[in-house]
Structures are given as C-alpha cells and as structure tokens.
Amino acid sequence: MQRDTTRESSQGWLALDCESDLGVYNLATETPTQSMEMMERIVAPSNVREAYRRVIRNGGCPGVDGMSVERLVEYLHAHWQQIRTDLLDGTYKPSPVKRHELPKPGGGTRVLGIPTVLDRLIQQAVLQVLQPEWDPTFSEFSYGFRPGR
C-alpha cells in the first residue's frame, strides 16, 4: 500500500491507514462508510485530524492535567496508539473536569467545567460523527446547541 509521506511527516502521530474488522482503509484516498463501526469512524485518522484542528483553533484553558493545546500534538505522538486502542476497547476513562467559578453580574457564581485538552479532542471527534446522523432527526423548531440555528 502506498503511503502519503508528506502528510505523515506533519501528522506522524496519526497514520493514514485505519485498521478495522472490515479491512484496512487508506484515508488519504478513502472515506469511512456507514459499514464501519461507529467508534472506528470516530478514531479514523481523517476525523481525528479535523477534531485536532478544531480544538487547536478553539484554544482554551488547560484542564486538571495542566496540558495546553500547544502540547497536545507532542502528547499524541507519544500516546495516540494506546488512546485509540482504549477507545476501541471501551476502556478509555476521561479525566475529571476542572471546576472554575465565574462571578455572575447579579451576584453569586456560575460553575464552569473545563475538560482536559485530550478529552476535548475526543469529544469533538465523537461530535463530528454523531451530529450528521442525529441532527436530521431533530424537530425543525429545535434550536439549542445546533450549528447554524
């Protein structure tokens, strides 16, 4: 199988080949299909790359682990294969959410939960797979937390 080495050098933590019980997909040229199991589509390299781009673009504060978005790629280089395996096996455990209290204008506080950067990456990857499937099933009058609404 031919590899796209230009992409691998900049995204070395995520190989372009995606193994599945259904075969090996080269995601430089193939798109995951509905026949792939959902979690396999979530951890597919093309989906995780897009999730990574969005998490980096959104920025945000570190979670309980103190890891910034700038350190995420370094962490993924070292740990992605194990994270992917844990996700596929169903053994991945998200980290606790960091609590931050914000003062309200009228008094009191509002608690903000800040997930770790890695958990935000995984949440974004899940969202990108689930949203296209579930959004069309919502009422046309349902607007909460839906893009473009």
Side-chain angles (χ1 to χ4, degrees):
M1 184 178 294
Q2 206 172 29
R3 291 183 172 262
D4 182 347
T5 54
T6 58
R7 266 186 144 168
E8 282 183 10
S9 61
S10 64
Q11 298 290 338
W13 56 273
L14 194 55
L16 289 175
D17 294 334
C18 176
E19 289 187 42
S20 134
D21 292 339
L22 304 169
V24 176
Y25 298 87
N26 182 332
L27 292 167
T29 57
E30 298 178 45
T31 303
T33 65
Q34 291 293 76
S35 63
M36 286 181 76
E37 294 296 324
M38 186 167 295
M39 189 54 77
E40 289 173 326
R41 289 188 289 140
I42 289 168
V43 298
S46 57
N47 188 54
V48 176
R49 275 196 197 98
E50 181 58 27
Y52 173 81
R53 282 190 282 273
R54 290 181 183 193
V55 167
I56 295 299
R57 184 177 57 228
N58 289 342
C61 297
V64 295
D65 62 357
M67 184 177 9
S68 66
V69 292
E70 293 81 16
R71 290 186 30 222
L72 180 58
V73 74
E74 176 186 326
Y75 184 82
L76 291 172
H77 275 286
H79 302 283
W80 174 248
Q81 288 307 316
Q82 185 59 52
I83 295 164
R84 182 181 185 278
T85 299
D86 292 347
L87 287 165
L88 290 170
D89 291 346
T91 59
Y92 178 82
K93 299 280 187 236
S95 297
V97 174
K98 182 177 178 180
R99 294 172 53 99
H100 182 74
E101 292 187 7
L102 298 172
K104 289 182 172 180
T109 59
R110 175 179 164 248
V111 178
L112 179 67
I114 305 169
T116 64
V117 175
L118 176 61
D119 288 340
R120 291 197 314 252
L121 172 80
I122 294 167
Q123 289 171 7
Q124 182 63 43
V126 170
L127 173 75
Q128 291 169 182
V129 169
L130 292 181
Q131 193 164 36
E133 290 187 24
W134 284 89
D135 197 62
T137 68
F138 295 151
S139 164
E140 67 176 285
F141 303 107
S142 174
Y143 291 90
F145 303 104
R146 293 174 67 200
R149 295 264 180 167

